[in-house]
Amino acid sequence: MEDTSAWSGPKSLLQSETLYQYILDTTVYPREPDCLKELRNVTANSPWYYMAVPPDEALFLSILLKLMNAKNTMEIGVFTGYSLLNTALAIPDDGKILAIDIDREAYEIGLPVIEKAGMARKIDFREGSALTILDQLLNEEKYKGLFDFVFVDADKDNYLNYHKRAIELVRVGGVIAYDNSLYSGLVVAPPGEPLYRGDTIDRDAIVELNKVLAADPRIEVCQLSIADGLSLCRRLY
C-alpha cells in the first residue's frame, strides 16, 4: 500500500480516506506507468505538491483521451508536468501538446522525468501569460478548431477568460476540461462562512464559471466529483 498523504485531503472529495486508498490500490497504482510514478514522487517533495493532478484523475483523463483518439491537445497550467506527461503517454506518437504556464521553474522539476520517458518531443512548452498566448493563437486562423482536447488547471479567476478563448480553439466535438470545478466543496459553502481571501476569490470565480458553463448553448457539460471536481465540456458548434 502506497502513502497517499500527498494526494488525498483537498484533492479528493471522498469522505473516506480508506475508500480513496482502495481505489488507488485496486485500479490506479497497478496501472500507473513507472515514469508517472517517478514524477508523482518528485512532485510530492514540493511544498506546492497539492497543485498536481491526483493519479486517479490522471487515469480517467488518459482513458478519455484514448477514447477520443485525441492528437492535438493543449494544457493551460502545467506545474511539474504530471498531467502533461500523462497526456503525452495517452496520445499517439505523432501527437502534440501545447503547454502553457507563466512559470517554467516548476516545469523544470519534472522535465528530466519527461525527457527520460521520451515524451518531451511531443511537448511545445510556452512560458508566459496564458491569455496573451491564447490571443496570439486566435490571431492565426490555423489554430481555430485545431485542438481535440484542452485541459485547464490554472488561475481560477481567469477560468471564464480561458473559456471564451478555448471554445474557439477546440474543434467541434472536442473537449475542454476544467479542473477544480467543485473547489474543495466550497462552491456550496454557506453564505457568510469565513474563508481565506484567496479562497473566496477563487471560489466565487468557480461558482460563476459553473453557472456560465451550465447555460452555454455551444457545449454539453458534465460535472464530475472526481478529485477536486472536473467539468467536461464538449463543443457542439
Side-chain angles (χ1 to χ4, degrees):
M1 181 182 295
E2 289 196 44
D3 177 26
T4 62
S5 58
W7 304 97
S8 55
K11 295 299 286 189
S12 173
L13 294 171
L14 287 176
Q15 296 299 305
S16 169
E17 290 189 13
T18 303
L19 179 57
Y20 185 52
Q21 186 72 56
Y22 172 82
I23 293 170
L24 293 175
D25 290 338
T26 304
T27 60
V28 178
Y29 289 149
R31 300 295 184 107
E32 185 181 35
D34 289 342
C35 57
L36 278 178
K37 180 178 180 179
E38 181 180 358
L39 184 45
R40 175 165 59 84
N41 289 332
V42 168
T43 302
N45 293 322
S46 166
W48 308 105
Y49 65 85
Y50 55 84
M51 292 174 57
V53 167
D56 53 327
E57 181 182 0
L59 179 59
F60 170 79
L61 291 172
S62 176
I63 292 174
L64 176 64
L65 288 163
K66 292 169 184 175
L67 287 171
M68 292 177 60
N69 294 315
K71 181 177 178 180
N72 294 305
T73 73
M74 181 192 301
E75 186 158 328
I76 302 172
V78 172
F79 189 42
T80 61
Y82 182 82
S83 61
L84 189 62
L85 177 56
N86 182 66
T87 297
L89 293 168
I91 61 178
D93 287 342
D94 59 345
K96 299 295 180 184
I97 311 167
L98 178 57
I100 304 171
D101 201 293
I102 200 168
D103 177 20
R104 186 181 177 90
E105 184 176 350
Y107 175 56
E108 294 284 353
I109 295 173
L111 185 55
V113 181
I114 294 171
E115 290 176 336
K116 186 169 68 172
M119 293 293 113
R121 58 187 170 81
K122 296 184 180 181
I123 299 168
D124 176 9
F125 182 88
R126 302 193 188 184
E127 182 179 15
S129 162
L131 292 178
T132 298
I133 293 171
L134 293 175
D135 285 339
Q136 292 170 349
L137 296 177
L138 287 169
N139 284 332
E140 298 187 52
E141 200 65 31
K142 67 179 181 179
Y143 289 110
K144 294 181 179 180
L146 173 67
F147 297 93
D148 303 303
F149 181 80
V150 178
F151 182 64
V152 183
D153 185 11
D155 47 327
K156 313 312 172 195
D157 56 338
N158 266 319
Y159 268 28
L160 271 179
N161 290 323
Y162 296 145
H163 183 65
K164 293 173 183 177
R165 292 158 174 80
I167 195 68
E168 295 186 49
L169 294 167
V170 73
R171 65 169 172 82
V172 172
V175 171
I176 309 170
Y178 293 98
D179 202 22
N180 308 114
S181 67
L182 294 175
Y183 203 69
S184 301
L186 293 179
V187 290
V188 293
E193 180 172 322
L195 301 172
Y196 290 113
R197 182 175 181 274
D199 281 341
T200 299
I201 293 171
D202 287 348
R203 186 274 311 271
D204 291 349
I206 291 295
V207 168
E208 184 61 26
L209 172 78
N210 291 337
K211 290 179 181 177
V212 169
L213 296 182
D216 191 338
R218 299 169 297 178
I219 61 171
E220 290 179 301
V221 61
C222 174
Q223 193 167 35
L224 305 175
S225 57
I226 191 171
D228 193 28
L230 180 69
S231 290
L232 302 179
C233 307
R234 177 177 176 268
R235 182 180 174 185
L236 297 175
Y237 61 86

